[in-house]
Amino acid sequence: MTLNQKLLLGSGASASLILFGGITGYLAAGGYLTDVIGKDAVMSILVLGTALGVALALGIGLMVSRSISGAIKRAVGGLADSTTQVSAASSQVASASQSLAEGASAAAAAIEETSSSLEEMSSTTKKALDNSTFMTKTGDITFALMKSSHRSLRETDACMKRIGESGAEAAKIIKTSDEIAFQINLLALNAAVEAARAGEAGAGFAVVAEEVRNLAMRSAEAARNTESIIGEMTREIKEGMALVAKTLEEFYKMGDEGKKTNALIKEIDSVMEQQAQGIEQINRAIAEIDRITQQSAANAEETASAAEELSAQAAQMESLVTGIDSIIGGGVGGVLTVRL
Amino acid sequence: MTEDKIKALDDKIRQSEGREGKYLTFVLAGEEYGIGILKVREIIGMMTITTVPQTPSYVKGVINLRGKVIPVMDLRLKFNMQAMEYTERTCIIVVEITGPARKIPMGIVVDSVSEVLNIKSSDIEETPNFGSKLETDYILGMAKTGDGVKILLDIDKVLNDEELTALERSA
Amino acid sequence: MDNEKLSSLVDRMASDFLFLNAREFDIPSAGGLLNVLEDITATADQIQLTPARRVGVAMNHLLEQFIMDKVGDRAAGFELLEGGISLLQEIVHDCLQKAGYEDDGRIDGYLASIGGLTGFRPAETQDATEKAEGAKEEQTPTTTAVSLQEQDEGLLRDFITESFEYIEQIEVNILNLEQNPEDKEFINAIFRPFHSIKGVASFLNLDNIRDISHSLENLLDKARNDELRVSPPIIDVILDGADALKSLIGQVRDVLDGKASAGEADDLTELLDRIHKLDRGVETTPAARLVGEILLEDGMITKDALNAGLKASAEKPGKKLGETLIAEGLATPKQVTRALRKQAEQITDTTTIRVDTRKLDDMIDMVGELVITQSMIEQDIGNQLTTDRNFMRNIAQLFRITSGLQRVTTSLRMIPIKQSFQRMSRLIRDLAKDSGKLIAVELVGEDTEIDRNMVDEIYTPLVHLVRNAVDHGLETPAERLAAGKTEKGRIVLKAYHRGGNIVIEIADDGRGLNREKILQKAIRNNLIHDGEGLSDQEIYRMILLPGLSTAERVTDVSGRGVGMDVVKQAVDKLRGKIDIFSSPGVGTTFTTSFPLTMAIIDGMIVKVGSQRYILPTTAIRQALRPARESFTNVVGRGETIDAMGRLLPLVRLGELFNIETRHKAPWEAIVVVVEGDGRTKGLMVDEILGKAEVVIKSLGEGIKNVRGIAGGAILGDGQIGLIIDPEGLFALSESSS
């Protein structure tokens, strides 16, 4: 059993004896006496009980503390020493921490600056990348469009050819109908000849023959007109077909160039992407650095403040030690004083 | 009796207006010609002509007209005009020329046939002197019509007389 | 029979009359009635129906008065006419029903009333029968003159002018009718003027004029109603009639002008007889000739014999001419029966119709085209692999019909050779008479048919052969008797078909050909050197060579120096053949063979450049592709080819006809050895396309007689190929080289 424990036991036992006495008294008196003699009488009993208890406790305590104060005196002296040492050390720590915190702070500021520059760069790169991606996409779309327009062109060409063929077919039909008209014309003329030979009897028939001939002529005329129109059409179709062929040829050239452009754009795009990725990595690294720096600064700060706290505590301890020393009676005060 | 007299009178009138009537017109080297319709038997498109050797150049040969063999003359060549390649418009007019015994069918090749025209005697003028282009003997007259002048041919004279005998001589 | 005819005539008159009325009763309608009335009177006369005749004559007078406008009371006259017609109807009706008319005096009453109106004296009619009988012969100038004086001169003058115009019309139209005997228009055109002349002549009492025009009018009426065919005799008689009318009318005019005292009148009996004969002959036996005529024409009997027979026949009425001829020994029963059979055939000829040959040719042309079209369709069907059975069956049927049609059309032109044989037998008879020889002619196979056009073509060579047989073949009766033969020589004309040809044999039983004489003459004329190794046939054939006539003397019948080579040429021209068989003392037979028709030719189609030509197969000897060595070019003389063991002149057809040929060298081309006109040449063509039977067509009147070309033919594809005439071609090649 240590001193303090003995102390504590002693004081505690005394206190608890006092308390016990008091309480027992109180309780006994309070409950029982209230019933027997009245309240005022109980109160007066209580105060007399307490005062008796305290006086008993103090007496016991004084005897216990006279027994342990020597040991304490020796402990306080050691304490005063180490407190002094702690105080010195903590002052050193505090100052070092202070300068550390200051450095970290400066680094953090620099990193901040870098980071923001990087941020800016990253966003530009991103924008460039976005553009290049868009361009690639546009290139693809262009290519797809080119393909489809090529198809359309091819179809146009085929269509033109078909129209041309139909035109030729129509021309053939027109030729046939012209031929038929010619034959009808001949027939009508023959009919007119026959009618004329029939004399008066053929007069009516001659009129019919003439009508038929007129119709044949008109039909031939119509056929001729149609023929010329079809001829014109055929010619224009031919022209159109030539144009389509030319366009196709140019289109093929354009397609080739487009393909090249597209490839280049893709290349650029991929380079840009790599670049963006690099920047991103840098960004992330800087952020890490920044974080660490911040943490260091915070740590330094904390250390400094802890050191100061420590030094403050040391000072307080010194004073406490002095206090104790004075309580116990000297010897150590000097130390404390030196220390403080 | 009176009827006969009227008839005789009619005949006379008809004779004086003998050229009036219907004509089949056709084109030859850009010029319009006419043949009296009663001389025409029929008009046919061009068909294969079998050449007959030992005949004048204007005798193109013979054709098969529904089983009948009929000689064909090229009127261009007959009139000493430039020969022309036959087209699909080229026609053969089968005419009946008056032979010594009976009517002789004969084909004439023309550039194209035009129409049957009724020509009034008042529209027919005497043949002006042509120079050497066409023997005026062949021509009945010149008919003025709405769209120009038609040369009315006496096809009998064109293909008959000395021509036929010449044909036989050459034959 | 005649009662009925009378009844129908009366009915016709009645119905004609129904449409008339008194006021409009003019000359033409009166004339019409007059015509019918005349027929009625004549018929009544024929059947001796006196009541009808009496009424008819009276009405006739009344009508004539009407026409001459001498009836005062026209209405009464018209009523009288009506009464007369009903009287006639009654008489005729009674005759038909009650077998006789009972005269109750009404006729006399009627006649009296006509007399009252016109001064008609019924007494005149009493001898009408005699007058009608004698009317035709009785025409004397005096009657003409007398009657003329009674006529109104104006009327007569008009009649004369009109009649001359009418006759002119008749003359014009009769010529047309001769060209187109079937044309009713022309018959009508002649009928009408005759009718008009008759009508007027009748009321002008120009009886002879009326009689002639009336007879001719009847004749024409029959022709118009197809009861009679317009034949050359009819045309002749009409022309003669017109002439007679002209002269009669001329006489009338002369009398009017007082120029001639109406002198002698022409004898019109003969003309009227002819007209009536034609008229009647047709009525009983249409278009038939009399037995006597047939016999005469066939040379069975002579004209003298016929006349004798006719005379004998006339003496014994009831006996027919044929019987008489046999009885009198003028003809054999065989000849008479044959003639009778022919007569019967002629009557059955009415089932035939005459068709214009041009129409026939057109039809044959059309059928030719049909056949060509058919073969084209045949090809098309072959290309199409149609399986429609119904269609195929119908097509097959169509093809059968087409080929049948083609057969029929080709046979349309065919006629029996009979006519030619008859002409020749007549000729033989005439020649026999001239030369004093006795000849019997025998005809065999007269019904053998041959193309109508061939008939005329073969006639000339046949006549030549017949003449030769009569003149040289047969001996005189004396010679024959001396040779122990019958006095009468015999010539047999025989025709038959063999292998698409008609063979005509002319055989005599004369002295036969003199082999030695022919041989000598041939040697003398440098035709041959000697008779070594020549068969009899070959020697006999020599008489067909130019300048070899064996006759010692030149007669007017044959042997005029032209000889038999003319026959040979003519036969060759007709693509025929001639063979001679002869044995001395027994006779000579000339066997000629001709294609049935000149219209079809068996030919080889050859190609020269783009042109096709047809070579007559009969002219082709051989076709070959010559070896290079066989060709020689004799400078200045021409090219030759060694073929058939001879050097033949080479004729380049392309060069001759100015055609671009495919082959230039003869050894690349084909050479056809062609014979013609006794010459043989090699004809160079590009290729031979095949054989074909083609219908020969003229190249048209415009270009006939092209040298070297015999005509054109329509080939299987409808195009025309020209037919080569080898002789003409040879001549052409010689003149051009």
Side-chain angles (χ1 to χ4, degrees):
Chain A
M1 215 179 261
T2 67
L3 177 63
N4 280 341
Q5 275 168 335
K6 283 168 188 170
L7 264 173
L8 270 168
L9 266 166
S11 45
S14 21
S16 39
L17 276 165
I18 304 164
L19 217 47
F20 180 74
I23 289 167
T24 316
Y26 179 82
L27 280 170
Y32 184 72
L33 289 168
T34 320
D35 287 343
V36 174
I37 60 173
K39 224 173 177 180
D40 291 332
V42 172
M43 268 315 262
S44 4
I45 308 163
L46 265 173
V47 173
L48 283 155
T50 311
L52 203 52
V54 169
L56 211 63
L58 277 163
I60 305 163
L62 198 53
M63 282 175 349
V64 171
S65 40
R66 272 301 179 173
S67 59
I68 58 171
S69 64
I72 289 172
K73 265 188 188 162
R74 281 177 314 263
V76 169
L79 196 58
D81 284 350
S82 50
T83 303
T84 312
Q85 278 175 358
V86 167
S87 183
S90 70
S91 284
Q92 273 181 324
V93 170
S95 82
S97 293
Q98 199 64 39
S99 69
L100 185 66
E102 274 167 18
S105 209
I111 285 167
E112 193 86 357
E113 224 163 280
T114 311
S115 178
S116 88
S117 306
L118 249 177
E119 196 77 20
E120 213 164 287
M121 195 170 120
S122 166
S123 87
T124 317
T125 312
K126 194 151 173 10
K127 215 171 184 179
L129 181 67
D130 276 358
N131 280 343
S132 98
T133 310
F134 184 71
M135 204 157 86
T136 317
K137 256 187 206 154
T138 315
D140 281 349
I141 290 167
T142 311
F143 195 68
L145 280 173
M146 264 169 81
K147 255 188 177 165
S148 94
S149 56
H150 174 233
R151 205 163 43 236
S152 300
L153 264 176
R154 294 281 299 257
E155 268 163 25
T156 311
D157 190 43
C159 191
M160 295 280 249
K161 265 187 194 134
R162 280 202 298 278
I163 294 171
E165 276 160 19
S166 302
E169 205 71 21
K172 253 187 235 161
I173 291 164
I174 291 298
K175 192 138 187 55
T176 312
S177 82
D178 186 43
E179 177 66 20
I180 291 168
F182 175 68
Q183 296 290 354
I184 293 173
N185 189 16
L186 273 194
L187 275 180
L189 282 173
N190 274 319
V193 169
E194 287 296 328
R197 288 175 153 244
E200 276 307 305
F205 191 61
V207 177
V208 177
E210 182 59 24
E211 282 303 309
V212 173
R213 208 185 79 85
N214 285 341
L215 283 178
M217 298 292 266
R218 270 170 57 193
S219 149
E221 178 74 29
R224 258 195 298 282
N225 287 344
T226 318
E227 199 180 12
S228 78
I229 289 167
I230 285 180
E232 183 77 2
M233 197 178 92
T234 314
R235 202 177 53 74
E236 272 166 11
I237 285 170
K238 267 194 191 130
E239 240 166 63
M241 269 162 76
L243 279 176
V244 168
K246 204 175 158 203
T247 313
L248 259 177
E249 198 182 312
E250 280 167 0
F251 200 83
Y252 286 135
K253 270 189 205 156
M254 193 168 91
D256 279 354
E257 296 304 311
K259 257 185 205 160
K260 276 185 210 159
T261 315
N262 229 14
L264 281 175
I265 288 173
K266 281 234 167 88
E267 223 174 290
I268 292 169
D269 188 49
S270 77
V271 170
M272 291 290 272
E273 194 152 349
Q274 275 169 24
Q275 200 184 10
Q277 271 169 16
I279 289 171
E280 187 65 22
Q281 269 170 5
I282 295 170
N283 237 357
R284 269 203 306 277
I286 294 281
E288 190 68 24
I289 293 169
D290 187 39
R291 195 180 55 80
I292 291 167
T293 314
Q294 295 278 358
Q295 207 168 357
S296 311
N299 285 348
E301 203 83 25
E302 234 166 88
T303 312
S305 74
E308 258 165 58
E309 184 73 12
L310 194 62
S311 142
Q313 289 294 326
Q316 200 172 353
M317 216 151 46
E318 229 168 5
S319 70
L320 276 175
V321 169
T322 319
I324 290 167
D325 201 39
S326 59
I327 292 165
I328 308 164
V332 272
V335 178
L336 278 174
T337 326
V338 169
R339 261 270 310 138
L340 289 174
Chain B
M1 199 153 59
T2 37
E3 214 175 274
D4 295 328
K5 275 173 191 160
I6 291 168
K7 198 169 167 263
L9 204 63
D10 270 356
D11 280 344
K12 256 183 197 158
I13 293 166
R14 216 169 289 146
Q15 222 162 34
S16 70
E17 294 177 343
R19 293 175 297 181
E20 179 170 296
K22 285 191 167 169
Y23 284 80
L24 175 72
T25 62
F26 58 89
V27 179
L28 208 62
E31 206 104 44
E32 288 262 354
Y33 293 84
I35 306 178
I37 196 117
L38 292 179
K39 285 279 163 199
V40 179
R41 197 157 89 176
E42 64 181 293
I43 306 144
I44 48 176
M46 189 38 79
M47 53 163 80
T48 318
I49 303 179
T50 303
T51 327
V52 178
Q54 318 289 318
T55 49
S57 66
Y58 63 83
V59 176
K60 295 309 289 182
V62 285
I63 53 165
N64 171 15
L65 186 68
R66 290 188 298 280
K68 291 249 178 288
V69 178
I70 287 176
V72 175
M73 321 276 160
D74 189 318
L75 216 50
R76 268 176 176 261
L77 299 177
K78 180 75 192 66
F79 291 159
N80 291 321
M81 295 170 182
Q82 178 108 40
M84 197 185 76
E85 194 99 337
Y86 293 161
T87 68
E88 55 212 25
R89 290 281 174 269
T90 311
C91 281
I92 300 175
I93 303 176
V94 180
V95 294
E96 278 177 335
I97 62 170
T98 316
R102 59 169 86 172
K103 285 180 172 172
I104 304 170
M106 202 174 276
I108 56 171
V109 179
V110 300
D111 291 2
S112 66
V113 279
S114 311
E115 59 189 319
V116 175
L117 267 184
N118 212 345
I119 294 174
K120 289 191 195 69
S121 85
S122 57
D123 289 335
I124 302 176
E125 284 188 5
E126 289 311 315
T127 320
N129 213 339
F130 261 106
S132 61
K133 196 178 177 189
L134 216 65
E135 276 181 52
T136 40
D137 271 6
Y138 297 160
I139 302 172
L140 286 172
M142 312 288 287
K144 287 175 296 176
T145 56
D147 49 348
V149 175
K150 315 258 191 281
I151 302 162
L152 305 182
L153 289 177
D154 184 343
I155 201 70
D156 274 342
K157 287 230 175 75
V158 173
L159 300 171
N160 219 330
D161 306 334
E162 81 263 50
E163 290 304 333
L164 279 183
T165 45
L167 267 182
E168 296 200 1
R169 261 208 305 279
S170 77
Chain C
M1 177 75 186
D2 281 336
N3 272 348
E4 278 161 26
K5 188 182 167 196
L6 190 62
S7 151
S8 80
L9 281 169
V10 172
D11 283 347
R12 198 171 109 202
M13 188 171 171
S15 66
D16 283 352
F17 192 79
L18 268 182
F19 293 101
L20 302 172
N21 65 52
R23 234 169 306 151
E24 289 172 8
F25 192 57
D26 52 4
I27 292 178
S29 34
L33 284 181
L34 202 57
N35 282 340
V36 184
L37 197 58
E38 265 167 21
D39 286 343
I40 293 172
T41 329
T43 315
D45 229 15
Q46 238 168 42
I47 57 169
Q48 315 215 315
L49 187 63
T50 323
R53 202 200 68 217
R54 286 176 66 199
V55 175
V57 171
M59 284 174 72
N60 209 337
H61 178 76
L62 179 61
L63 269 172
E64 282 175 11
Q65 296 301 310
F66 255 111
I67 289 166
M68 285 180 281
D69 211 8
K70 284 184 181 166
V71 181
D73 186 351
R74 289 182 72 90
F78 199 68
E79 238 165 70
L80 266 178
L81 275 179
E82 196 175 356
I85 289 168
S86 60
L87 197 55
L88 275 176
Q89 276 177 313
E90 209 172 298
I91 294 168
V92 173
H93 180 261
D94 283 2
C95 279
L96 275 177
Q97 304 297 320
K98 303 178 192 164
Y101 174 73
E102 221 173 288
D103 191 358
D104 52 2
R106 272 167 60 197
I107 294 176
D108 285 341
Y110 180 67
L111 296 186
S113 51
I114 290 180
L117 192 70
T118 66
F120 173 71
R121 290 189 316 279
E124 272 186 25
T125 63
Q126 295 308 318
D127 57 348
T129 322
E130 288 78 11
K131 207 186 165 193
E133 285 288 298
K136 286 143 197 168
E137 285 95 42
E138 251 184 324
Q139 302 306 323
T140 60
T142 351
T143 38
T144 317
V146 167
S147 53
L148 277 180
Q149 283 158 8
E150 293 168 357
Q151 306 301 329
D152 177 11
E153 198 183 317
L155 270 176
L156 271 173
R157 291 234 178 252
D158 273 355
F159 168 69
I160 290 163
T161 333
E162 262 174 57
S163 296
F164 278 133
E165 278 172 18
Y166 284 140
I167 291 169
E168 214 167 293
Q169 280 178 35
I170 291 169
E171 282 170 345
V172 169
N173 281 304
I174 197 124
L175 295 177
N176 289 332
L177 182 64
E178 198 170 15
Q179 301 293 322
N180 308 287
E182 309 290 319
D183 199 325
K184 293 270 153 58
E185 274 303 301
F186 291 132
I187 298 179
N188 272 329
I190 301 166
F191 177 85
R192 270 182 255 110
F194 273 130
H195 184 81
S196 311
I197 293 176
K198 185 199 79 176
V200 186
S202 175
F203 82 77
L204 287 178
N205 282 338
L206 301 166
D207 292 345
N208 42 11
I209 296 175
R210 184 202 61 199
D211 286 346
I212 292 175
S213 39
H214 180 64
S215 315
L216 288 171
E217 185 192 339
N218 280 348
L219 201 64
L220 285 162
D221 192 39
K222 281 190 174 133
R224 196 165 57 166
N225 297 330
D226 287 330
E227 291 169 37
L228 188 68
R229 214 168 62 192
V230 176
S231 59
I234 288 182
I235 301 276
D236 286 346
V237 87
I238 295 172
L239 276 174
D240 288 349
D243 282 347
L245 284 180
K246 225 195 278 185
S247 90
L248 284 171
I249 296 163
Q251 280 176 20
V252 173
R253 190 184 53 197
D254 289 349
V255 169
L256 272 180
D257 293 350
K259 268 187 197 161
S261 58
E264 65 265 46
D266 298 331
D267 182 15
L268 301 171
T269 352
E270 205 248 347
L271 178 65
L272 285 168
D273 265 0
R274 269 170 65 201
I275 299 172
H276 289 297
K277 215 181 253 171
L278 281 166
D279 198 1
R280 238 193 350 261
V282 167
E283 228 172 344
T284 50
T285 51
R289 286 173 305 158
L290 296 171
V291 175
E293 276 177 41
I294 294 170
L295 283 167
L296 192 63
E297 203 166 305
D298 288 1
M300 308 274 190
I301 55 171
T302 58
K303 181 133 189 167
D304 294 343
L306 177 64
N307 286 339
L310 283 171
K311 208 182 269 171
S313 179
E315 281 162 10
K316 288 175 228 162
K319 230 178 169 187
K320 285 185 176 156
L321 175 67
E323 291 170 42
T324 318
L325 284 171
I326 296 166
E328 300 280 316
L330 293 164
T332 63
K334 192 182 166 194
Q335 286 171 331
V336 173
T337 30
R338 193 178 283 174
L340 284 170
R341 204 172 58 221
K342 273 186 187 165
Q343 194 182 32
E345 277 170 13
Q346 278 168 354
I347 293 163
T348 55
D349 269 356
T350 43
T351 55
T352 63
I353 53 161
R354 287 153 60 103
V355 180
D356 190 339
T357 47
R358 255 181 297 173
K359 281 188 190 166
L360 207 62
D361 288 344
D362 282 352
M363 182 174 163
I364 291 168
D365 287 344
M366 291 298 197
V367 171
E369 286 294 286
L370 183 67
V371 170
I372 287 168
T373 317
Q374 179 202 287
S375 69
M376 285 175 178
I377 290 174
E378 217 166 352
Q379 269 181 1
D380 290 347
I381 290 171
N383 293 341
Q384 267 167 2
L385 292 167
T386 315
T387 47
D388 188 332
R389 291 182 54 148
N390 199 32
F391 173 70
M392 293 310 278
R393 203 166 50 234
N394 290 341
I395 282 286
Q397 177 69 5
L398 177 68
F399 288 177
R400 270 196 296 279
I401 293 168
T402 314
S403 46
L405 188 61
Q406 194 184 21
R407 260 199 319 279
V408 173
T409 37
T410 5
S411 75
L412 281 181
R413 298 169 138 275
M414 299 303 215
I415 58 162
I417 191 119
K418 191 186 291 169
Q419 204 194 343
S420 302
F421 271 19
Q422 283 169 359
R423 280 165 79 187
M424 275 185 279
S425 94
R426 185 119 177 222
L427 175 79
I428 293 171
R429 201 156 293 278
D430 291 348
L431 291 172
K433 220 163 100 187
D434 290 349
S435 62
K437 290 174 183 173
L438 294 172
I439 305 168
V441 184
E442 199 179 322
L443 307 180
V444 182
E446 307 149 79
D447 293 330
T448 313
E449 287 193 322
I450 182 170
D451 190 299
R452 172 77 188 78
N453 297 344
M454 280 298 278
V455 172
D456 297 334
E457 300 287 331
I458 63 170
Y459 188 66
T460 319
L462 289 185
V463 161
H464 229 91
L465 288 174
V466 162
R467 283 182 158 164
N468 189 70
V470 174
D471 216 32
H472 305 312
L474 290 176
E475 312 93 328
T476 58
E479 281 170 335
R480 286 186 70 87
L481 285 172
K485 295 186 193 175
T486 54
E487 201 183 8
K488 211 172 195 180
R490 209 164 67 101
I491 290 180
V492 181
L493 297 175
K494 189 175 174 187
Y496 54 92
H497 281 157
R498 191 174 61 196
N501 286 316
I502 184 169
V503 180
I504 297 166
E505 285 180 13
I506 294 156
D508 65 63
D509 65 345
R511 55 174 77 94
L513 289 172
N514 191 330
R515 188 181 184 278
E516 283 313 306
K517 220 154 131 190
I518 298 168
L519 208 55
Q520 276 167 25
K521 198 157 185 188
I523 294 168
R524 203 164 59 234
N525 288 1
N526 283 329
L527 293 167
I528 48 163
H529 295 297
D530 53 58
E532 279 304 301
L534 286 174
S535 69
D536 286 357
Q537 257 281 316
E538 282 171 309
I539 291 167
Y540 294 150
R541 280 189 69 89
M542 280 181 194
I543 64 166
L544 302 173
L545 295 173
L548 219 159
S549 186
T550 59
E552 305 275 83
R553 64 199 167 89
V554 169
T555 70
D556 65 334
V557 178
S558 58
R560 276 166 294 192
V562 277
M564 297 292 285
D565 58 316
V566 179
V567 177
K568 171 83 165 85
Q569 270 174 29
V571 171
D572 280 352
K573 206 173 157 204
L574 295 169
R575 302 197 303 274
K577 275 200 310 205
I578 184 162
D579 286 312
I580 305 160
F581 304 94
S582 183
S583 45
V586 179
T588 311
T589 303
F590 288 89
T591 306
T592 55
S593 138
F594 300 97
L596 282 179
T597 169
M598 287 300 282
I600 293 173
I601 186 175
D602 199 25
M604 193 82 90
I605 306 173
V606 298
K607 203 167 180 188
V608 183
S610 59
Q611 300 284 326
R612 285 174 298 180
Y613 294 98
I614 296 146
L615 287 168
T617 313
T618 48
I620 297 178
R621 307 289 306 186
Q622 198 183 11
L624 61 129
R625 169 160 294 165
R628 190 185 278 256
E629 307 82 60
S630 65
F631 168 75
T632 29
N633 188 0
V634 186
V635 181
R637 301 261 346 244
E639 299 167 315
T640 61
I641 208 90
D642 186 4
M644 295 173 69
R646 279 192 286 167
L647 275 182
L648 303 172
L650 183 73
V651 177
R652 289 174 185 256
L653 199 57
E655 226 162 71
L656 208 56
F657 285 168
N658 210 4
I659 306 164
E660 187 68 25
T661 56
R662 192 144 56 91
H663 303 296
K664 296 278 175 277
W667 51 89
E668 284 168 356
I670 301 274
V671 170
V672 184
V673 179
V674 176
E675 198 184 47
D677 212 6
R679 286 168 295 175
T680 310
K681 295 191 179 195
L683 212 60
M684 189 179 129
V685 299
D686 278 342
E687 62 181 305
I688 291 177
L689 296 176
K691 262 189 76 174
E693 257 191 9
V694 294
V695 178
I696 305 173
K697 292 176 184 235
S698 116
L699 293 186
E701 311 243 355
I703 40 176
K704 55 185 171 189
N705 304 333
V706 178
R707 251 208 313 193
I709 300 293
I714 292 162
L715 300 176
D717 58 355
Q719 303 288 312
I720 298 170
L722 298 179
I723 301 166
I724 300 276
D725 159 34
E727 285 148 40
L729 196 75
F730 289 173
L732 184 67
S733 75
E734 278 149 26
S735 67
S736 66
S737 61

